[in-house]
Structures are given as structure tokens and as C-alpha cells.
Amino acid sequence: MTTLNVELRVFYEARQQQIPAEVRQVMQRAGQELADSGQVDRALTVGDRAPRFRLPSATGQTVALDDLIAEGPVVLTFYRGTWCPYCNIALRALQQHHTDITARGARLVAVSPQIPDESLSLAEKHSLTFDVLSDIGSDTAKQYGLAFDLPDDLAAVYDKLGFDLQRVNDGHPRTLPLPATYVIDRESVIRWAFVNSDYTKRAEPSDIIAALDALS
């Protein structure tokens, strides 16, 4: 069975063939700068208390961490947006394992800086049965130590590619979260964490499930 990160790698290698060399250079330089910035080391990790949040869902509800952990552990995943193909692949993989997650009494929620309408179209497109939340302005991502600003040249590349982050992120086009996934226990303590500066790498669903099994 192909793992999520193998699938992502295959997609990445095919994608590289389609991207002009000068665009690849901008992306690679920005990725290296982010890796060198120490941002990953500043993100919350195992043993830290998970900051509370109250965020709107794609369907218009307000979802609060306090309410979620009152019912059981939480799998909290941060992604960049509908425009990011790696995010779409990762969210589809989580959907494929959603039953395994809920069978362990856990609740899965995904958070991005995009507006609820974008989250709704994403949820409908991929038939997502978990909550997709909007963190406009990335305030929650900042509390988790995940938010960073795109450099000018990469922001220009994203504009040229038609991602329209000005619109989808409601006037906050430059700020994105690092890809991250947390398993949070009922005391609001982070018990497992995946944080990576490389958006082509994501938490493996099997590792998330193993972390949930370790809670019990």
C-alpha cells in the first residue's frame, strides 16, 4: 500500500517537470530560507498545551477546541489552502482514514487561512466528512508557532500562477501556516506532533492512528 508521503513525492517529481526553471529556483530558495529560519523549532510540540481556538467551519458553525476535547482527543491539522495540490492530496488521505480516527474516539479538524466559502468548496470536492475551519489572518496558526510570511518573489510567483491569495485569504495573502498535525489529549496537551517546513511532506495517517492508540 502506497504511503501518503510516497504519493506526495511522486506528484512532486511529476510537477517539477511542468514548472519553468526560474520558478523552481524561486520556490527552492524560499523553501531553503524557511527551513533555515528555525520556524519549525519555534512551533509547539509534544508536551506543550494546545492554545484554545474558536473558528468558523465551512458550514457556518463555530468550532471550539474546548468543546472538542470535552468529547475525546483531537487531531488538528493545518494546511495552506484549496489552491495547494499537496494539501488536497493530504486531506484526501485523512478522509480515507477518517473512520479509523473516529473509531478511536477522536475528532479530526483541518485549519487553513482561507475563507469559509473556499473551505466549503474543498469539503464538497473531496467529500470531506470532518470539519474544515477558517483561520482568517492566521491568528490560531500564530499561537501554535506555525505562521510565516511568504517572501516577495514567491508571493509574485503564486500571483502569476493564479492562486489569488488576496481573495481566498481575505486580505491576508502573504501569511501561511507550516504544514502541521497535532494529536491533542482531553487535558489539552499535545501528545504527538508533526511539523515540517517542506509543504510537500505531511503527517502519515498511520502515524496519527498509532499516536491515538498510544493515548489509550
Side-chain angles (χ1 to χ4, degrees):
M1 183 176 164
T2 303
T3 66
L4 169 59
N5 281 288
V6 167
E7 185 182 353
L8 289 167
R9 188 70 200 173
V10 169
F11 178 85
Y12 169 81
E13 287 171 357
R15 181 92 163 176
Q16 290 300 290
Q17 310 302 317
Q18 304 160 358
I19 297 174
E22 65 273 13
V23 171
R24 281 205 309 271
Q25 286 175 347
V26 170
M27 290 178 164
Q28 287 165 359
R29 186 169 61 248
Q32 190 60 53
E33 286 172 358
L34 184 58
D36 293 343
S37 72
Q39 179 87 37
V40 168
D41 298 328
R42 293 191 292 274
L44 296 190
T45 190
V46 174
D48 290 330
R49 187 160 291 279
R52 293 173 168 175
F53 59 78
R54 290 177 61 83
L55 295 171
S57 75
T59 53
Q61 267 73 46
T62 297
V63 176
L65 180 61
D66 284 350
D67 296 337
L68 298 175
I69 60 173
E71 298 175 7
V74 170
V75 176
L76 173 64
T77 192
F78 289 85
Y79 69 102
R80 297 170 358 132
T82 312
W83 52 271
C84 170
Y86 300 93
C87 297
N88 291 320
I89 292 169
L91 290 170
R92 281 202 305 271
L94 287 173
Q95 178 59 44
Q96 288 163 4
H97 291 82
H98 189 219
T99 303
D100 297 323
I101 291 169
T102 57
R104 287 156 173 81
R107 183 83 171 268
L108 170 63
V109 291
V111 176
S112 83
Q114 63 188 5
I115 57 177
D117 279 355
E118 289 293 314
S119 299
L120 182 60
S121 64
L122 172 80
E124 290 173 342
K125 179 181 175 186
H126 298 307
S127 302
L128 303 182
T129 55
F130 51 88
D131 281 315
V132 184
L133 310 181
S134 289
D135 180 26
I136 307 272
S138 296
D139 289 338
T140 299
K142 286 171 188 170
Q143 287 185 287
Y144 282 77
L146 302 171
F148 70 96
D149 288 338
L150 295 171
D152 291 344
D153 53 356
L154 184 57
V157 162
Y158 283 0
D159 284 343
K160 197 177 288 186
L161 291 172
F163 293 158
D164 197 9
L165 298 187
Q166 180 71 31
R167 181 186 66 80
V168 301
N169 287 0
D170 196 26
H172 301 273
R174 300 290 293 281
T175 307
L176 295 177
L178 296 176
T181 301
Y182 294 104
V183 172
I184 302 167
D185 70 15
R186 298 191 67 173
E187 313 318 338
S188 198
V189 175
I190 295 170
R191 299 288 295 275
W192 183 86
F194 171 94
V195 183
N196 203 309
S197 63
D198 184 350
Y199 60 81
T200 72
K201 295 174 181 165
R202 304 297 168 110
E204 284 291 347
S206 59
D207 292 339
I208 296 168
I209 290 161
L212 290 171
D213 285 341
L215 290 183
S216 57

